[in-house]
Amino acid sequence: PLLTIWFDALEAFVPGNSIRAVLTRTALDQAIEVPVMISIIFSLSALFEGHDADFCAHKVRTKLLPTWRGCVGVWAPVQVVNQGLVPLRYRVFFQSFVSFFWDA
C-alpha cells in the first residue's frame, strides 16, 4: 500500500508523461522515497536484532548515504522506465519485479 500511495501522489503532484515530468517524478522518488525506505529497513532490522534506538540512528547516519549511492545507479534508470512507460496501476508490480532480482 505504501508504494501505491507514493506513486499516486507523485502522479498527482507531477502529472503527465513529458520528459520533464518523468525526470521530476524520478528525482523526487530517489530523493525522498528511497532514503526513507532505506532508513526504515535499517532501523527495523536493527530493532529486530535486539538493538536500541541509538544504534538504529547510528546505523542510519553511517550507512544511509553509501547505500543510497549504490542504489541510485540501478534504481534511477528503473524509475525512469517505471514513471515514463509503465501505466500507473502497474508501477508497484514493475518495481516489485525488479526488486526481486535486485534483492536476490
Side-chain angles (χ1 to χ4, degrees), residues 3 8 14 16 27 43 53 93 96 98:
L3 281 179
D8 287 347
V14 186
S43 297
F93 174 77
S96 298
V98 175

Side-chain angles (χ1 to χ4, degrees), residues 4-88:
T4 301
I5 293 166
W6 173 246
F7 287 147
D8 287 347
L10 280 178
E11 189 68 34
F13 186 67
V14 186
N17 283 326
S18 69
I19 292 173
R20 183 179 181 144
V22 169
L23 293 178
T24 300
R25 286 195 305 269
T26 299
L28 289 170
D29 181 75
Q30 296 302 295
I32 297 169
E33 190 264 341
V34 172
V36 168
M37 293 305 289
I38 292 170
S39 298
I40 289 169
I41 291 167
F42 283 161
S43 297
L44 289 178
S45 68
L47 288 171
F48 289 141
E49 291 169 354
H51 298 288
D52 62 12
D54 288 336
F55 180 88
C56 295
H58 175 74
K59 187 173 183 178
V60 170
R61 277 194 310 275
T62 59
K63 293 188 174 192
L64 176 61
L65 189 55
T67 303
W68 178 81
R69 284 182 185 147
C71 291
V72 80
V74 170
W75 285 104
V78 167
Q79 284 306 321
V80 167
V81 171
N82 201 18
Q83 298 296 325
L85 301 175
V86 178
L88 180 59

